[in-house]
Each structure stands twice: as structure tokens, then as C-alpha cells.
Amino acid sequence: MYDIDFLERKFATLGARVKAADSRRRFAADGGVALDVRSDRRGEFFEVIGDRNGSTRVEVLDVQPRERHLLLLVRRLAAKQKFLCGHDERHWFVAAIPEDAPVGTVAAAKQALKPPEVREAQARARLDARRGDRRKNAANRRQGEWFFLPVPDLKVDPKLVIRNEPIRRGGGKPHWCEFVHREGGEPVRVCYRYPHGVDEKTYKGILARTPEAKTWGWRIMVRDARVYARGRVRHPDHRTIALHGWHRVVMNTETRAAAMRNVAFLD
């Protein structure tokens, strides 16, 4: 169970609001608690969905008012899930922390969300945690869940460069890169109904079963490729950044978290 009044006081120290969902809102996929970021006439607020009086407990492990971040722990039966809630540039967000990361503070949660490539680059640049958390530092640029690591020696055939290409996590709003180069990976067909993509055999099966699927706005993308970007990177919820020279693109570790299925707000 959780005490919504207690959560309201904790979130208020960040300048944020939190509400319990009304009975019409869905419960979490596993029957526990899900988190969302929604809007009303007063602006954005965090919403806790489901299991207010059940077997799930919600605790606040750490609060950092100056950073406008807090770390939540959700316990259900023997399972533990942690969520970093905070403000990034223009909007509030919820990020699921991988279950294999033993974190108990906001600072540790931020580190756990950095992929190994980013942590290694920041170590080589001898960045402390404070400088490493900046969106622009000596090791990388960051826009939302995406990190961009400079690769100054990368040589790319101009014929293999794609202009105005989206990168996205699942069904979230895409980040648009002015120039992209991909190496390896699996070509997939993507549309609004299949944001994670399907292979060619599955795509043909969908068309055979559902002829109207041809009108679903399919496009060919590449899954699990090594991706490089340069130029401007745009997203409606973030400031546009400019990458001078090629940068390797890597996503944060949130997709490793089983708890991600209980985050309704993705991007």
C-alpha cells in the first residue's frame, strides 16, 4: 500500500505534484503499481496507478530538492523495482532502474542509467559524478535518454549517410538526427502499431492476414545497429543540440529494467 499524502509532501519538495489515479485508470501490467506523467490545467504531474490498498508498498529512498530528483522503491511480494523521478530540461520524467543495479540514492541511480560505454568514456576523461551528470561534458553529449560519444577518427562513405533520420526507444517520440550512419544490425519494418519493428517474414504475414495493414505507414529501419550521428539533433521536449563531427549513439540502460513495463510515460 502507499500513502498518497506522504508522497505528495515528498514530491512537493521538488516543486512537483503527484496524484493517485482514479478507478478508471488501468493497473500495472503485473498487478502492482505503474507510474505516469500526465497534464491538467495546472501543468504536469506524476500519477501513481493501481494497488493503493493491495500488496504493493511504495517508499521514497532519497530526495534531492536542488536537483529536482527523487528515488522511489516499489515492493511487491519478493520483487523490488526502483524509479528515478525528476525534471530534465523542460519536463518531468520517470526512469526505471535496472534491477541488477544496487542503488539507494539519486546519484547512484543516475550512474546506473549510464551505459558502460558512457561510464568508460567519463572515466577516461576523469570526470567526477557532478561533471559527468551534465548534459554536455568532456566525454559526451546527452539529450533525454540518448548519449552521444565523439568518434573523431571515424571515416564514413558519404553514400552511406542518411539525412533527417529518427532514433527512438519503443513507441516514444523520436529524436531526429540531421545525419546518421549505421553499421550492422537487423533491418525491420516499423509502423505505429509495431513501434519495435518486425522482420520481413512477420511483415508479410501481417499483410497476408490484414490487407489494410498496407496503409499503416510502414518504414524500414535498423534494429540493434551501431549508430553514429552528427549535425543537429532535435526533439520537441529537449533543446536542440549540435554534434560537430561523428558521435556514437547509445541509449541509457532503462530498457534492461523489467520495471520499465510499469512506466506509462516513455518519452
Side-chain angles (χ1 to χ4, degrees):
M1 62 184 297
Y2 62 90
D3 182 345
I4 191 63
D5 294 331
F6 170 77
L7 292 179
E8 285 177 350
R9 292 193 297 272
K10 292 296 185 180
F11 276 85
T13 65
L14 311 182
R17 295 181 295 138
V18 64
K19 297 181 181 181
D22 62 44
S23 59
R24 294 170 296 178
R25 289 282 279 156
R26 65 168 178 77
F27 279 59
D30 61 1
V33 164
L35 299 171
D36 199 357
V37 176
R38 304 189 74 200
S39 297
D40 59 17
R41 293 181 179 179
R42 294 174 56 192
E44 292 181 330
F45 63 91
F46 290 91
E47 184 179 58
V48 185
I49 308 167
D51 203 19
R52 185 173 181 181
N53 300 307
S55 59
T56 302
R57 300 182 65 87
V58 180
E59 305 172 24
V60 177
L61 296 181
D62 187 27
V63 182
Q64 297 296 325
R66 292 185 62 182
E67 299 178 25
R68 305 182 79 184
H69 285 68
L70 64 75
L71 181 64
L72 283 183
L73 169 64
V74 176
R75 300 176 186 265
R76 184 171 186 270
L77 303 176
K80 296 181 181 180
Q81 299 174 338
K82 296 174 184 177
F83 301 90
L84 182 65
C85 303
H87 196 273
D88 187 24
E89 293 188 82
R90 301 172 181 171
H91 297 277
W92 296 103
F93 72 89
V94 179
I97 307 301
E99 285 74 16
D100 59 1
V103 305
T105 65
V106 166
K110 290 181 178 180
Q111 284 297 113
L113 286 170
K114 296 175 184 177
E117 299 93 331
V118 171
R119 294 200 299 271
E120 292 167 5
Q122 293 187 356
R124 289 194 299 270
R126 299 183 179 180
L127 298 180
D128 57 23
R130 180 179 60 83
R131 290 184 296 165
D133 288 342
R134 293 174 180 168
R135 288 186 289 274
K136 180 179 180 180
N137 57 56
N140 63 267
R141 300 290 302 274
R142 181 177 68 82
Q143 188 184 73
E145 70 273 29
W146 295 99
F147 292 87
F148 302 88
L149 304 167
V151 189
D153 298 328
L154 183 68
K155 304 298 182 183
V156 176
D157 185 340
K159 296 179 182 178
L160 301 179
V161 175
I162 307 169
R163 293 182 63 95
N164 298 319
E165 182 74 355
I167 55 174
R168 75 173 76 211
R169 172 191 60 188
K173 290 178 283 188
H175 297 239
W176 289 89
C177 301
E178 188 174 7
F179 301 102
V180 162
H181 169 63
R182 288 189 172 92
E183 296 179 352
E186 174 193 11
V188 292
R189 300 269 186 164
V190 176
C191 73
Y192 71 97
R193 296 202 182 193
Y194 294 90
H196 296 283
V198 297
D199 60 27
E200 194 67 16
K201 180 179 179 181
T202 304
Y203 168 72
K204 290 180 179 178
I206 293 171
L207 296 188
R209 296 189 305 271
T210 314
E212 62 267 26
K214 293 179 180 179
T215 65
W216 290 354
W218 296 90
R219 64 180 293 157
I220 297 177
M221 298 186 72
V222 180
R223 182 167 56 198
D224 297 330
R226 184 178 285 256
V227 180
Y228 301 91
R230 66 178 176 87
R232 292 184 297 274
V233 183
R234 298 175 287 107
H235 189 277
D237 296 340
H238 301 281
R239 297 184 184 92
T240 297
I241 63 175
L243 304 176
H244 302 290
W246 288 106
H247 287 63
R248 185 178 174 191
V249 183
V250 292
M251 190 169 57
N252 72 13
T253 63
E254 191 175 1
T255 52
R256 286 176 28 208
M260 188 175 177
R261 66 179 179 268
N262 289 341
V263 178
F265 176 73
L266 292 179
D267 198 11

